[in-house]
Every structure is written in structure tokens, then in C-alpha cells.
Amino acid sequence: MTLQVLPPELLEQPKDKIEKQPEKPYWKPGTLKDGESEEFRLLGCYETGHAIVGWQYASECRDDKTGDLRFNGFVVTRSHPGTPEDLARETDWSKPDRPKIDGSFVKPRKFLAWVATSAARGRLEVLFLEQKSLREQLTEILQEDEDYTWTQEGLANFSIKISRKGTGLETSYSILPKVRKVPEKIVKEWKTSRDSIWLPNFFEGKDPFDGRQTDEKGLPAGGTDKRGATVLPKVKQTQQEDENEF
């Protein structure tokens, strides 16, 4: 019998380049440039764990070696976090060394996250709408339940086109809905992929792409309308007529 003396890992050939893990499919409207737009179809809703509303803030921690405070990622909470001890300070971008400003903190941002398919990339993604104007526009669209309906599987019978106009402080965003019948291809894909993502995992510090890890749901997607009523997608069996693939 021959003994294997060396661990097999030592016999592996070195690689020419570092392999990177593929980026998670998250999308934010801020990635658009002036005049650009992207189209999506919403999949699932609050009731199925595929749409949540929450708050996100940048955190800081003290470096063990230098003692300096450094960025430590983002923290997601169900309600406004107030002023937690690890809330990151603002940066003074007017100075070359970009110092932190004591006593001035980065404000937490409210967001609406929703699972969707991208027309451009043809894949399942998570939309992060941090812009209040976009959340309000989507809320108004979802209230027009006679025009913009949902299938029994929880798929939108319409698409939403998110556009950006302007730059800097002059930036504005808009949503344009369009009635589109759900193609059978997306229906089949959703049946096999819907259980693999559970957005309330964000609130537990877990990966939403690991599937359901907790029994709790997020806050109702879409928030409330001007009368204080909760806005939720409504189901309608009759699909609108539009034979486009997306």
C-alpha cells in the first residue's frame, strides 16, 4: 500500500488569476446614467416574502490595529434605527485626505426591495428603490388594480420602465408601467426559483438568496396611500392581452 504523504492541496497548480465570486443580482436606479432606463417585471409580493420595506444605514467599527474607525458595511432594519452606536460619520469630500466629520452622521435610508426579472439581462434580480419618488409612483400604480393586475402565481401582468433624467441635484426618476401578458417561460422559471429567495432574510443578517430562513415577513410593500390604507398587489385571474416575450 502506498501512503499519500502530501496533502492534495499542495499538488494543485497555481492559478494565473484570482477567481471572484459572481456578484449578487441586486439593482439600484442610481446605476442609471442621465437618459437611461431599464425595464422589469415584478415577481411575488409582500405576502409571499418577495417584497419588503425597510431601512439601511452605513456602520463603522474600530480597527483592532490602528484604533481608527472604518466602514463596516450596511445594516438593514425593519424600522428606523435612530442613532445607533455604529452609525457611520459623514466624510468631508472637500479635503484631499477625506477626513470623517465628528458629530455628523450618514442618515439611514428607507428602501423598497422587490424581486423582479430584468428585460436587459434576462435574470431574476432584487430591485432596491431608495428614492422616495419611485416608491410613491409605484404605490400609485399598484392602486390601479383594474389595469395592472397579478396572476395567481403572483406575477405582474405588466412591466415597469424605470428612467433617470439629469445629474447631481437635478436628478429625477420616473416609472412607466405597461400591460404585458406573462410569457409561459417566466411562469415556469418562477415555479422553480421562487422558493430560493426570501427577502425578510435581510432583517436577520442572512442572504436572501438562501431561501426562507425565518417565519417573519417584512413590512407591507408599497407602504400606505394618502388615506393611510396599506397598499398590496391584487390578484386577478384574467390576464391582459400583450404577446410580447417580456
Side-chain angles (χ1 to χ4, degrees), residues 26-32 38 40 56 74 109 111 125-131 134 162 173:
Y26 302 128
W27 186 86
K28 294 184 177 182
T31 60
L32 294 173
E38 288 220 21
F40 301 89
Q56 180 174 266
F74 291 96
R109 301 193 67 178
F111 69 86
E125 299 183 349
V126 177
L127 307 185
F128 272 89
L129 305 184
E130 297 176 305
Q131 295 81 3
L134 288 178
I162 301 177
Y173 295 91

Side-chain angles (χ1 to χ4, degrees), residues 143 224-229:
Q143 291 180 82
T224 57
D225 60 21
K226 297 178 180 179
R227 296 166 295 180

Side-chain angles (χ1 to χ4, degrees), residues 66-80:
T66 65
D68 296 331
L69 287 172
R70 58 178 177 80
F71 176 68
N72 192 40
F74 291 96
V75 178
V76 174
T77 59
R78 284 185 172 85
S79 57
H80 193 289

Side-chain angles (χ1 to χ4, degrees), residues 6 93 103 182-183 243:
L6 289 173
W93 296 99
V182 184
E243 298 301 328

